[in-house]
Amino acid sequence: MSEHSKKNRFHLEQGETPEDAGRPVGSRLRDAQGDAVFIDDPDPRHARRMRFRWFVLGGVLLLALLTGGGLWYYYSVYGSGGQKSGDSKDFQRVGERLEDSYYLPSENVSPELARAIALYRNFERDAARRAFEQFITAAAPDNEKSIAAIFLGVMALESERYSEAKRQFIRALKYNPESVGALVNMAVVERRLGNHADARQFAQQARRLAPGDRNVALILGNILNESQDVDGAIDSYREGLSDSPDDPLLLYNMALSLLRQEKYEEALLNFSKAARAARSAVGGNRVGIAVQAHAHMGQIYFRQGNLEMAADALRSAVQLAPDNGKYRYNLGVIYLRMNRGGQALDEFRRALDAGTNEADVYRALARAFVSDDLRQPALAIRALEKGLYLRPDDIDTLFQLGDLYHAENDLVNAARAYAKIVNITPGDVNTEDAYLKLAVVYSEMERHNDAIDVLERAAGINPRNARTYFILGQVYDRAGRRDLAIENWKKALRDARNNASEGALADDAADASAGIRLGRDEEREIRLAIAAAYRKEGAHDLALLQYNRVRERNRVQPAVVSDPELDLEVGLTYMALKDYENAVASFEAVAASAAADEAMRKRAFLQIAAAFAESGDSGRLSEARSNINKAVRMDPADQEARMLQAYILMKSNSMVDREKAVEILKAVTRSDIDARDASKAHNLLGLAYMQGSEYRRALASFEQAVRLDPGNSDAYRNQRAAANAYEKEL
């Protein structure tokens, strides 16, 4: 299952426009036939249709660790290190493969065989192959024919023709049953084929013939390592190092084995020796070993929290391999941890330019580019597109790319990414998830029919997925069909009962006894969406019912002690009902909540002031003034708060306060606000002038309000009143 399909994210839009607040209390949504649609009060004539059984959680299946084919130790070793879990995910795992090498005989040989070997060393493989075959078929000593067969086997190994390689090494052993080179290379072949028992047997035969030989020690150590005999492997590597103390492969594999045993300091020492030996090795290409050793050192230091040493090790790695995108990425991760955002971005850019043959690195790069530290979505998109060149049908990359396009409001490309997932998946959970995301995008593109079509296909895959009906409700809501929106959200609430994993809340007491279980977050978003739809229709009592259900769910353990977002919505609903006492109580809860951010608290102070101002109780005007002043102090540039501040000053009927209100409103009208808000400000300014009997100025302000927003009906009415008053004054 892709990591994206594990997410249970709902897309929610809600809110109430000022014109909704005046709708009749208790109104109900009606469908095309005029029947009421209810959520929590089904027809009492109907008996309860079902009782839910208790769900028993199944035991978690333990995945067995598989042996062979390479080391698995990194995950267990690096799973503990005291760092944040996100770090281990972001830092790309360094290659774990144990290094081996072919055994190439180095004895003094006849000139004819020496010429064939020279052709091999000069990479003239075809000519070398012919020369070795001719040498074997000619009259020559058996030990030299054995050497020729070994070289033929090694050439087959190099091209991964393992059957041919085995044939040649067996041929070599027929000519010389005690050929250490043939035995070692046979062990290499069997190891690569996964035949560890046979490989071990050949390696041990070679060890008996040549104890301390570095090639024998290397292959035997690797075989023991993969057989989980790490101590035996280390002993074998030590035996080889006793005669070849500067052998980079022995040092490197020794370090990997020590790392597997969590002996970090010894591992670091041997990685350092391996890097030094590899860089100074004569003959053979050992730079790759140095790069890997430095990269492992960087990862160990990173896990230990020693960021300076980690950065130094990774810098050494990328100096040797400047085109290694993975290690440049890892260096960038370290710089991010060191709060060096500029250097991190430089390394991530270089990693992207250098490239890699690992699609996972491109996905990690994309996550880094869109992080709060960098915010580079264009580079993230480029990284994901490069990843798709490597794996065009990679589901996780396509989901990540689609989500990124969606976040950037590139709806066309987002739709293409999700549609591709649909086309390449076999109607599984990934197909379903892609359908849901595609529906959201289609809805935002106002292709509502297409959105409904893909949601119906998603329902065909999983008819009990509450998310499908939740999003379908969204689509209908955007299309103006709130009756169908409510109907589908109702179905989402019912179906979500079977998908939840936390807490229990029933739609009524009878359901409570049945043990219905709903996910807290899922239920919350559904009920808030339903409440928003009810508020748009003026059914504020039904909206409050949904809010109360959310509040009940918050009490379920682990309890949500403070929910300022919910309190804010409840307060706005009470404001629409002109229940100012309950509205103020809700807004005061927001203002006092430690969970509320500054924007929420500012809005709470603003709404408390509005409630006191609208309550009709002149004794509460001082409290209204106190709260609006708090809101203005929190954000002096908030013109809505400034207009409310002026409105409250005007209600005091004080000439001084009226003059203050005029100055505030003049400043608001000169600020950078949209035409609708400017119209409201001019309308308020006109009312202030009316209070001072300045009818000509009032008339000019109302006329400006109408010009800015012809739909401002209050300004029209006030304009007529000002005109009448002005005529009487004349």
Side-chain angles (χ1 to χ4, degrees):
M1 180 184 299
S2 78
E3 65 184 54
H4 292 272
S5 64
K6 297 175 187 174
K7 296 178 182 177
N8 207 11
R9 188 180 68 188
F10 288 163
H11 304 271
L12 181 64
E13 288 186 0
Q14 56 183 317
E16 181 178 22
T17 58
E19 53 267 32
D20 291 331
R23 291 183 179 267
V25 175
S27 64
R28 302 291 190 268
L29 294 180
R30 303 280 173 171
D31 62 17
Q33 288 74 38
D35 295 327
V37 180
F38 299 96
I39 301 300
D40 293 298
D41 49 349
D43 192 330
R45 297 172 299 176
H46 295 173
R48 293 291 173 196
R49 292 178 293 176
M50 64 182 69
R51 288 289 185 266
F52 289 83
R53 295 172 296 177
W54 291 101
F55 290 97
V56 180
L57 294 176
V60 178
L61 296 176
L62 297 178
L63 298 176
L65 295 175
L66 301 177
T67 61
L71 293 174
W72 50 264
Y73 68 91
Y74 244 83
Y75 289 115
S76 59
V77 171
Y78 285 139
S80 59
Q83 301 300 326
K84 297 177 182 178
S85 61
D87 294 336
S88 61
K89 293 178 183 177
D90 293 337
F91 202 96
Q92 291 296 296
R93 190 162 52 104
V94 181
E96 308 159 2
R97 189 183 66 184
L98 290 165
E99 297 292 338
D100 61 16
S101 63
Y102 315 129
Y103 193 112
L104 294 175
S106 58
E107 298 99 315
N108 291 325
V109 296
S110 62
E112 292 81 2
L113 182 54
R115 281 193 291 271
I117 293 173
L119 290 171
Y120 169 81
R121 296 194 186 281
N122 290 329
F123 300 99
E124 299 179 50
R125 294 293 195 261
D126 290 338
R129 190 176 294 109
R130 289 192 298 270
F132 286 128
E133 287 290 355
Q134 290 171 3
F135 183 84
I136 292 173
T137 57
D142 283 350
N143 69 312
E144 290 201 348
K145 288 184 177 183
S146 176
I147 292 172
I150 289 173
F151 274 96
L152 286 170
V154 167
M155 284 191 283
L157 255 181
E158 289 173 338
S159 57
E160 298 183 357
R161 294 182 293 119
Y162 297 123
S163 296
E164 173 63 14
K166 285 180 69 173
R167 189 180 75 83
Q168 294 295 345
F169 296 140
I170 291 171
R171 188 182 188 187
L173 286 170
K174 285 181 180 178
Y175 287 119
N176 182 6
E178 295 187 350
S179 169
V180 174
L183 289 169
V184 168
N185 288 332
M186 275 295 290
V188 171
V189 173
E190 297 295 358
R191 173 180 173 245
R192 294 194 181 182
L193 291 173
N195 303 325
H196 296 289
D198 291 341
R200 185 169 183 167
Q201 183 179 354
F202 284 116
Q204 286 174 336
Q205 287 183 45
R207 187 183 196 181
R208 284 193 292 271
L209 293 169
D213 183 282
R214 53 89 52 194
N215 287 288
V216 175
L218 183 67
I219 187 61
L220 182 58
N222 291 353
I223 293 166
L224 292 172
N225 233 324
E226 291 168 351
S227 301
Q228 308 307 314
D229 184 1
V230 183
D231 288 332
I234 291 175
D235 288 342
S236 183
Y237 297 139
R238 288 192 198 281
E239 186 176 309
L241 287 167
S242 64
D243 286 344
S244 304
D246 295 325
D247 187 281
L249 295 184
L250 286 169
L251 289 165
Y252 180 78
N253 288 1
M254 177 83 157
L256 285 179
S257 303
L258 291 165
L259 187 58
R260 187 176 181 184
Q261 293 186 329
E262 302 186 25
K263 297 177 179 178
Y264 301 121
E265 298 308 318
E266 287 185 72
L268 283 168
L269 176 62
N270 280 273
F271 278 131
S272 178
K273 288 181 178 180
R276 225 172 16 249
R279 296 177 77 160
S280 59
V282 177
N285 182 11
R286 297 293 184 235
V287 174
I289 295 298
V291 173
Q292 290 287 95
H294 284 303
H296 276 292
M297 292 170 66
Q299 186 151 320
I300 294 172
Y301 284 129
F302 179 77
R303 298 303 303 167
Q304 292 178 338
N306 191 339
L307 300 182
E308 290 290 349
M309 292 296 290
D312 185 64
L314 262 298
R315 279 193 293 267
S316 296
V318 299
Q319 283 171 3
L320 292 171
D323 293 331
N324 190 310
K326 175 196 274 191
Y327 298 152
R328 284 201 175 277
Y329 165 80
N330 281 351
L331 182 56
V333 171
I334 294 171
Y335 283 143
L336 270 186
R337 283 287 308 278
M338 298 170 77
N339 296 317
R340 299 180 186 175
Q343 288 177 280
L345 181 57
D346 288 343
E347 287 303 327
F348 291 143
R349 286 180 184 273
R350 292 187 184 113
L352 185 58
D353 291 337
T356 175
N357 59 358
E358 299 179 49
D360 290 344
V361 176
Y362 285 119
R363 295 185 57 229
L365 269 171
R367 288 193 297 271
F369 281 131
V370 297
S371 67
D372 291 339
D373 297 297
L374 302 181
R375 301 179 185 273
Q376 298 287 333
L379 291 175
I381 290 172
R382 184 179 158 208
L384 293 173
E385 288 174 341
K386 275 196 165 188
L388 288 174
Y389 285 129
L390 294 175
R391 285 190 283 183
D393 294 341
D394 185 75
I395 302 300
D396 286 332
T397 302
L398 286 167
F399 269 121
Q400 194 174 348
L401 184 60
D403 292 348
L404 186 51
Y405 276 132
H406 191 187
E408 291 300 298
N409 204 34
D410 187 346
L411 302 181
V412 173
N413 279 319
R416 285 175 181 163
Y418 298 140
K420 183 173 181 179
I421 297 170
V422 169
N423 291 333
I424 64 177
T425 49
D428 58 7
V429 66
N430 290 316
T431 317
E432 180 189 10
D433 203 28
Y435 272 138
L436 298 186
K437 291 174 179 289
L438 188 57
V440 172
V441 172
Y442 280 155
S443 180
E444 291 177 7
M445 297 169 74
E446 299 187 358
R447 293 170 57 180
H448 301 305
N449 289 335
D450 289 333
I452 292 168
D453 177 63
V454 297
L455 287 168
E456 288 173 351
R457 295 184 190 183
I461 296 173
N462 181 7
R464 302 295 295 174
N465 189 345
R467 283 202 303 153
T468 303
Y469 300 104
F470 177 82
I471 297 172
L472 188 55
Q474 276 193 313
V475 174
Y476 280 122
D477 189 42
R478 289 180 182 136
R481 291 300 307 273
R482 293 200 182 100
D483 53 339
L484 294 176
I486 293 287
E487 180 181 323
N488 280 280
W489 285 331
K490 175 182 179 180
K491 184 171 179 59
L493 266 182
R494 290 176 177 171
D495 288 349
R497 297 168 184 168
N498 297 324
N499 303 331
S501 60
E502 52 178 287
L505 176 68
D507 268 357
D508 49 42
D511 285 343
S513 65
I516 297 170
R517 301 180 69 82
L518 300 172
R520 189 200 303 272
D521 292 341
E522 289 89 342
E523 180 187 356
R524 173 191 176 83
E525 295 201 48
I526 292 170
R527 290 199 181 277
L528 290 180
I530 294 171
Y534 277 143
R535 282 169 56 185
K536 289 176 183 177
E537 294 296 323
H540 300 294
D541 56 340
L542 292 182
L544 287 172
L545 175 64
Q546 297 303 318
Y547 293 140
N548 286 337
R549 294 300 167 84
V550 175
R551 201 180 299 283
E552 288 173 25
R553 185 58 182 276
N554 283 348
R555 299 190 189 104
V556 175
Q557 296 299 324
V560 177
V561 178
S562 179
D563 191 343
E565 181 186 0
L566 176 63
D567 288 328
L568 201 55
E569 297 303 323
V570 170
L572 292 171
T573 306
Y574 279 126
M575 285 289 285
L577 290 169
K578 302 189 186 304
D579 184 346
Y580 299 117
E581 183 176 349
N582 280 318
V584 168
S586 295
F587 294 135
E588 286 179 340
V590 177
S593 172
D597 58 26
E598 186 168 323
M600 285 183 177
R601 294 180 63 248
K602 182 190 74 172
R603 193 173 183 199
F605 287 132
L606 191 150
Q607 293 296 335
I608 292 170
F612 284 139
E614 294 297 328
S615 67
D617 185 351
S618 59
R620 311 300 295 271
L621 282 178
S622 61
E623 293 177 77
R625 183 179 296 193
S626 172
N627 281 277
I628 194 59
N629 287 343
K630 291 177 184 178
V632 170
R633 280 196 298 272
M634 292 178 74
D635 184 5
D638 187 334
Q639 303 307 329
E640 179 188 2
R642 298 289 285 169
M643 283 191 281
L644 181 58
Q645 184 183 39
Y647 175 71
I648 292 170
L649 287 169
M650 289 162 56
K651 290 184 76 70
S652 71
N653 293 321
S654 161
M655 185 63 67
V656 174
D657 286 345
R658 185 186 73 84
E659 291 300 326
K660 289 180 182 177
V662 168
E663 292 305 314
I664 290 171
L665 292 169
K666 282 182 177 180
V668 171
T669 59
R670 290 192 294 267
S671 65
D672 184 18
I673 55 176
D674 62 34
R676 191 171 181 180
D677 286 338
S679 176
K680 292 177 183 178
H682 279 287
N683 183 55
L684 274 176
L685 183 58
L687 290 174
Y689 285 135
M690 288 282 285
Q691 281 186 339
S693 302
E694 298 182 62
Y695 302 122
R696 185 170 61 82
R697 288 184 173 180
L699 186 57
S701 293
F702 294 137
E703 288 174 349
Q704 182 64 11
V706 170
R707 277 196 296 272
L708 289 167
D709 181 11
N712 190 337
S713 56
D714 288 340
Y716 272 115
R717 286 193 298 270
N718 292 334
Q719 183 185 30
R720 289 193 295 271
N724 292 334
Y726 184 57
E727 289 176 3
K728 289 179 181 178
E729 186 180 55
L730 293 176

